[in-house]
Every structure is written in C-alpha cells, then in structure tokens.
Amino acid sequence: GAGVSQTPSNKVTEKGKYVELRCDPISGHTALYWYRQSLGQGPEFLIYFQGTGAADDSGLPNDRFFAVRPEGSVSTLKIQRTERGDSAVYLCASSLLRSSGGLLTGELFFGEGSRLTVL
Amino acid sequence: AQKITQTQPGMFVQEKEAVTLDCTYDTSDPSYGLFWYKQPSSGEMIFPIYQGSYDQQNATEGRYSLNFQKARKSANLVISASQLGDSAMYFCAMRESVIIQGAQKLVFGQGTRLTINP
C-alpha cells in the first residue's frame, strides 16, 4: 500500500488478556517506530527498529510490552496481561533514513493508529 | 527533563488570519531536527514541515513556515492565511541524531489544538 497500515484500527479487550497490534510500513522503509498516545497527550516513544533489530527499546514501559520485526518489514507490538492503563492509541511510523552531511534525516510517516481499550 | 514545550493548549483564529504556534526545545546536542506534525480528528499524523539545526534558512512549505531561532531554542510554526481545514492538533517534535548507524527517537510536545473559525 501507499502508506503505513495498522491493524486492528480498534481493539477492545478485558483486563488480563493478551493483545497483538500489527504495523505494515511503507515498502522499502528501513526504520520503524512504535509510539503510544494517551488522550490529550503527545505521542510517547516506545521502540524503534532499524531493519530486524530493535535499535532502541527504552520507551517500553515494562516487560509486559514486546515488539518484533522478524523480516525487517511488518512489525507486531505484543502486550501481555493488559491493564486499564494500557488504553491508548498505538501509533506506528516508518521512515527511510538517509545520511546528509553526517546527519540522519528522513521524516516519519505515521499510520492511523490502533485504538486499544482495556475494560 | 522536558525536551519540547508547547505552552498553548488551544488557539482560536479567524479564517484567513495568520497564526503562530509556539514551540521551545531543550538539547545539548549540536545536531538535531525539528518537526511539526498535524493531527486532525481522524488521528493520522501528517507531516507538514522540518527544520535541521544546521539549516541556514527557515523552512517553508506552502502556507507553513518555521520561525527557527536557534539561540532562543525556539521553533514556532507560522500558518499564513488560515483555512478551516487547518483545524487540528499540532505537535512539535525533536530528533537528536549525530550517529550514522542509528537514529534517535522523536520526542513530542504536548500539542496545541488549533481551531479555525469561519
């Protein structure tokens, strides 16, 4: 597809359940990011992949959160034993990083997000 | 420490007027990038404008321009001749990156909700 695709667009689950959120980035984009956006807040960084490896997972709130990108394209964010506080919109973004004058540049293209509601 | 500060939770502007959305940032990294994103009610983040810390000129994209004042660490977004479709949340974001092998994450501000009145 032309843009970043995220599924499901909406997910309602019960406390304690396991959830998977999927992100299909723009074809050819090497970098992939997950963000979480709570109501009325700016997006908060969770994890960033460069290729298949997690280059920075410092934003994952705890060990209930895990993300994979096994083939360097599609990524899955996994949340175990969901809690009500996990309710948020989970945004995925991808970018094609390029070096320019020693700096990495490349804007992030975001998907429309997956809205997770934990009851 | 707060890296990106947007002090205006909401702004109301008459159609066709210009509007300035404030953003200040904090970093010790000499190389960084500043972004503004628009988020309409649909939820998608739309990227209108980018400014690199070493860019000599202020960034301009159509009706969007970025008033970049490096010494003051501010990167205000200016929208000229506002339109009803400009109504949205606007987020200022910063990426610090001097490492070729890996890019740092974007850090977002709290956002400003812009409402254009007819």
Side-chain angles (χ1 to χ4, degrees):
Chain A
V4 177
S5 175
Q6 291 188 248
T7 56
S9 56
N10 276 287
K11 176 71 177 179
V12 180
T13 190
E14 293 179 344
K15 179 183 172 183
K17 298 290 188 182
Y18 170 79
V19 166
E20 287 192 354
L21 306 175
R22 175 190 167 105
C23 173
D24 198 343
I26 293 172
S27 178
H29 279 194
T30 54
L32 185 147
Y33 301 76
W34 283 100
Y35 284 81
R36 177 167 72 175
Q37 187 175 22
S38 300
L39 191 63
Q41 304 291 317
E44 294 178 282
F45 170 81
L46 295 177
I47 186 170
Y48 150 65
F49 288 90
Q50 177 72 307
T52 59
D56 184 346
D57 63 358
S58 61
L60 294 178
N62 50 59
D63 61 5
R64 295 187 297 106
F65 288 74
F66 189 70
V68 295
R69 194 185 186 200
E71 298 178 358
S73 178
V74 171
S75 176
T76 304
L77 179 65
K78 308 180 180 190
I79 310 173
Q80 298 177 321
R81 304 184 304 280
T82 51
E83 299 177 357
R84 292 194 179 90
D86 298 335
S87 296
V89 175
Y90 289 81
L91 294 167
C92 178
S94 70
S95 69
L96 181 61
L97 298 176
R98 61 188 187 280
S99 178
S100 175
L103 300 176
L104 277 175
T105 61
E107 60 268 25
L108 271 63
F109 294 87
F110 282 84
E112 294 193 358
S114 292
R115 181 176 298 278
L116 175 65
T117 303
V118 182
L119 301 176
Chain B
Q2 185 72 30
K3 295 247 182 176
I4 296 284
T5 303
Q6 294 181 254
T7 58
Q8 306 151 311
M11 289 279 286
F12 295 85
V13 175
Q14 287 299 119
E15 189 180 10
K16 298 181 185 177
E17 288 184 353
V19 57
T20 298
L21 305 182
D22 295 341
C23 173
T24 58
Y25 59 91
D26 183 30
T27 181
S28 57
D29 191 334
S31 302
Y32 51 90
L34 294 160
F35 298 78
W36 276 92
Y37 279 88
K38 173 184 178 182
Q39 187 177 44
S41 55
S42 62
E44 186 179 2
M45 299 284 278
I46 302 167
F47 161 74
I49 198 164
Y50 164 82
Q51 179 87 41
S53 60
Y54 290 131
D55 291 346
Q56 297 297 315
Q57 305 278 346
N58 283 348
T60 301
E61 292 287 346
R63 293 183 298 108
Y64 294 97
S65 62
L66 205 153
N67 184 3
F68 181 46
Q69 299 191 32
K70 197 170 181 177
R72 295 184 180 184
K73 293 188 176 179
S74 74
N76 298 341
L77 177 68
V78 180
I79 306 174
S80 63
S82 57
Q83 301 173 356
L84 296 178
D86 294 335
S87 294
M89 283 290 288
Y90 286 80
F91 293 97
C92 181
M94 179 175 67
R95 177 164 66 202
E96 297 168 320
S97 172
V98 291
I99 304 168
I100 296 296
Q101 285 78 16
Q104 298 290 324
K105 56 187 176 284
L106 276 184
V107 177
F108 285 83
Q110 295 285 76
T112 297
R113 182 172 296 281
L114 176 63
T115 302
I116 308 298
N117 296 316

